[in-house]
Amino acid sequence: MTFTVSPETLSKINSTHRQSVPALDVPVRLLLGPGPSNADPAVVAAMNRQPIGHLDPAYTALMDEVQNLLRYVWQTQNKLTLPMSGTGSAAMEATIANVVEPGDVVLVGVKGYFGHRLVDMAGRYGADVRSIHHAWGEVFTLPELRAALEEHRPQVLALVHAETSTGARQPLEGVGDLCREFDCLLIADTVTSLGGEPIFLDDWKVDLAYSCSQKGLSCPPGSSPFTIGERGLAKMDKRQTKVANWYLDVSMLRNYWGSGRVYHHTAPVNMTYAIREALRLVSEEGLETSWQRHRTNAEKLWAGLQDLGLSCHVPHENRLTTLTTVKVPDGIDAKAVTKALLTEHNIEIGNGLGELGGKVWRIGLMGANSKPENVDRVLEALGQVLAKMKG
Ligand SMILES: Cc1ncc(COP(=O)(O)O)c(C=O)c1O
C-alpha cells in the first residue's frame, strides 16, 4: 500500500514549522565562565563514537570503569557511585529525593544561589526546610554549624562545598563528625570542585554528594556524578514512602548499576563514553597534580587581576581555585564587559548571579582550561576591554 498525502495535508505538514536550516556550525569559544568549560578534545572524540546497547557487555564494562574512576576522583569507597543522566541539578535532586521523606527536617546552609536551590528542592519533596545564612562570599564555621544542628535537630544537613555564585569554598573537614554526633546525614554539593579542588569524601564523612561533568572534568554537560554511602542507604531503605521521582530513584537505579543490570531507562550511552574519557584523563594526570595545577593557575590569575587594579570578592583563604569572583569597579557596566570579551575576544566569562548580579564577574579555570596560556589570554583581553571603556 502506498502512502498518499492530499495537497491540503502536505501544505499543513510543511507550514508547521518546517524550516530549512544549514548544517550545524557553532563558534569555538574559550569558556572561562562558571561552566560549561571547554571539553577536552579527547572527550569530544570519545563521545563521537557510535552508540552501543546499554545492556551490551562492552557497555556494562564501561559502567564499572566509570564507577571506579568516580570513586577515585571523590576519594570514596561508596559502592553506589554512579553518573546520573542529566546535568548537575539532576544529581542534586537525586540526593534530596532519595533520602528526604515528607516531614523530615532538612537544614540548608545558604551563602549563595545554589544553597537557595537546595532549599527549593527539599521543600518540593515535603521537607520541613530550615536554613541558616551567611552573606554571599562567606562560609560557615564549625561552631556555627554545631549551634544550628543543636537548634534544628535535622535529619539532613546540606552544604555547597564550592558555591559557584560567590567563588567561596566551604571547608567540610569536621562537618561529617558533627553530623554523626547529631545523627544527621550530610549532603555536599561538589559541582564546582570535583577534579579541581581537593575532596576527601570518606575522610570528611560525607554521606551523599553530587557533581557535574561540564566543569572540572572537561566533559560536556549531561552526565552527573552521584554517590551515597551506607548511612544514606540505611535511611533510604527504611523509607515509608516511595521516592517521589521515578527517574532518579536510586532503589531502582541500583539494580541497573549493580550486578543485576536490570533495565531502568536507556542510558545516555555517548555521555558515558565522554565521562569515562574525562575521568580517565584525570586519573592519568593524577588528582594531586590536577589540584596543584588548579591552584598554581588560580594564583597566577589573582596576581594578574591585582596588577590590573582589580580585586577578588572572596578572601584568599576561602577562595576557590576553580572559580574566581572579581569585583566590578565603580562606573563600569559589568554586562558590557562580558559582551565585549565574547564578541571581540571570543572568551566567555560569567556575570554575577543573584545578589551579586552587576557586582562581580566570574572567571572559571576548570579542568583542562586551567592553564597559564588561558590566564594570560583572559587577563590581556580584560585589560584591553577595561582600558577602552575607561576611555
Ligand atoms: C554549585 C552548583 N550546584 C548545582 C548546579 C546545577 O548544575 P547544572 O546547571 O549542571 O544542572 C550548579 C551549576 O552550575 C552549581 O554551580
Side-chain angles (χ1 to χ4, degrees):
M1 200 176 94
T2 51
F3 183 68
T4 51
V5 184
S6 69
E8 294 76 31
T9 304
L10 188 59
S11 159
K12 180 174 181 294
I13 292 170
N14 286 336
S15 63
T16 308
H17 298 291
R18 185 173 191 188
Q19 194 191 348
S20 165
V21 291
L24 184 70
D25 181 22
V26 281
V28 177
R29 308 271 198 216
L30 178 56
L31 301 179
L32 300 183
S37 293
N38 293 93
D40 193 291
V43 172
V44 176
M47 199 177 168
N48 245 347
R49 309 287 286 265
Q50 278 290 340
I52 53 176
H54 60 277
L55 295 171
D56 186 314
Y59 183 74
T60 56
L62 296 185
M63 292 166 67
D64 289 340
E65 289 165 353
V66 169
Q67 288 189 280
N68 256 332
L69 287 165
L70 283 177
R71 292 182 189 109
Y72 167 64
V73 289
W74 254 328
Q75 292 291 288
T76 182
Q77 302 295 336
N78 288 346
K79 195 163 174 293
L80 251 170
T81 302
L82 53 94
M84 284 287 168
S85 308
T87 65
S89 303
M92 183 181 201
E93 189 151 346
T95 59
I96 300 279
N98 283 282
V99 296
V100 173
E101 283 202 270
D104 279 354
V105 176
V106 174
L107 178 65
V108 183
V110 179
K111 50 186 170 46
Y113 181 91
F114 291 99
H116 283 292
R117 185 172 293 185
L118 279 164
V119 167
D120 185 6
M121 277 187 186
R124 288 169 191 243
Y125 285 91
D128 171 359
V129 188
R130 319 281 174 89
S131 54
I132 46 174
H133 295 258
H134 250 295
W136 286 35
E138 295 177 358
V139 296
F140 293 96
T141 62
L142 279 180
E144 285 169 341
L145 293 172
R146 170 180 287 282
L149 290 172
E150 242 155 23
E151 183 186 344
H152 297 286
R153 303 276 161 180
Q155 274 79 51
V156 177
L157 168 67
L159 288 175
V160 179
H161 180 224
E163 187 37 92
T164 324
S165 61
T166 69
R169 179 187 47 252
Q170 169 66 54
L172 290 176
E173 293 88 340
V175 181
D177 281 321
L178 261 186
C179 286
R180 279 162 201 230
E181 204 181 313
F182 287 87
D183 195 21
C184 141
L185 295 176
L186 174 59
I187 296 180
D189 176 322
T190 64
V191 168
T192 292
S193 44
L194 192 66
E197 282 277 349
I199 303 180
F200 294 95
L201 226 53
D202 286 359
D203 288 355
W204 296 345
K205 301 192 174 86
V206 174
D207 297 297
L208 294 105
Y210 56 91
S211 192
C212 73
S213 48
Q214 72 269 17
K215 302 193 190 201
L217 300 183
S218 312
C219 179
S223 179
S224 299
F226 165 93
T227 188
I228 179 169
E230 290 303 321
R231 294 173 81 239
L233 283 175
K235 178 153 179 9
M236 201 180 92
D237 289 339
K238 279 201 300 258
R239 292 183 68 98
Q240 303 294 310
T241 54
K242 268 189 175 182
V243 172
N245 186 315
W246 184 90
Y247 198 66
L248 303 173
D249 185 343
V250 169
S251 67
M252 294 194 287
L253 283 170
R254 72 173 154 192
N255 295 328
Y256 176 52
W257 285 90
S259 53
R261 302 298 184 198
V262 180
Y263 164 73
H264 178 257
H265 65 268
T266 306
V269 170
N270 292 54
M271 277 315 301
T272 308
Y273 298 166
I275 198 165
R276 179 194 177 277
E277 181 63 11
L279 291 164
R280 190 186 72 77
L281 293 174
V282 175
S283 162
E284 198 172 79
E285 179 180 18
L287 272 180
E288 67 296 350
T289 312
S290 175
W291 297 336
Q292 184 55 53
R293 176 170 54 80
H294 281 78
R295 169 135 310 266
T296 306
N297 292 319
E299 296 280 358
K300 178 176 163 69
L301 174 69
W302 302 335
L305 289 168
Q306 199 174 357
D307 291 344
L308 288 176
L310 297 168
S311 51
C312 293
H313 176 68
V314 176
H316 190 269
E317 66 274 17
N318 295 333
R319 227 176 264 167
L320 286 169
T321 57
T322 44
L323 194 276
T324 298
T325 40
V326 188
K327 289 186 193 162
V328 176
D330 286 344
I332 294 289
D333 176 351
K335 283 192 177 161
V337 171
T338 49
K339 190 172 170 200
L341 283 172
L342 190 71
T343 54
E344 293 164 25
H345 297 268
N346 213 22
I347 300 174
E348 178 178 280
I349 68 164
N351 284 302
L353 189 60
E355 273 184 27
L356 292 178
K359 296 182 183 149
V360 297
W361 293 297
R362 294 182 297 155
I363 303 180
L365 290 173
M366 306 191 221
N369 269 0
S370 174
K371 54 182 178 186
E373 304 88 286
N374 287 347
V375 175
D376 290 337
R377 259 187 80 179
V378 71
L379 285 171
E380 197 182 321
L382 190 56
Q384 283 179 20
V385 169
L386 286 175
K388 212 153 112 186
M389 281 191 179
K390 285 177 186 158

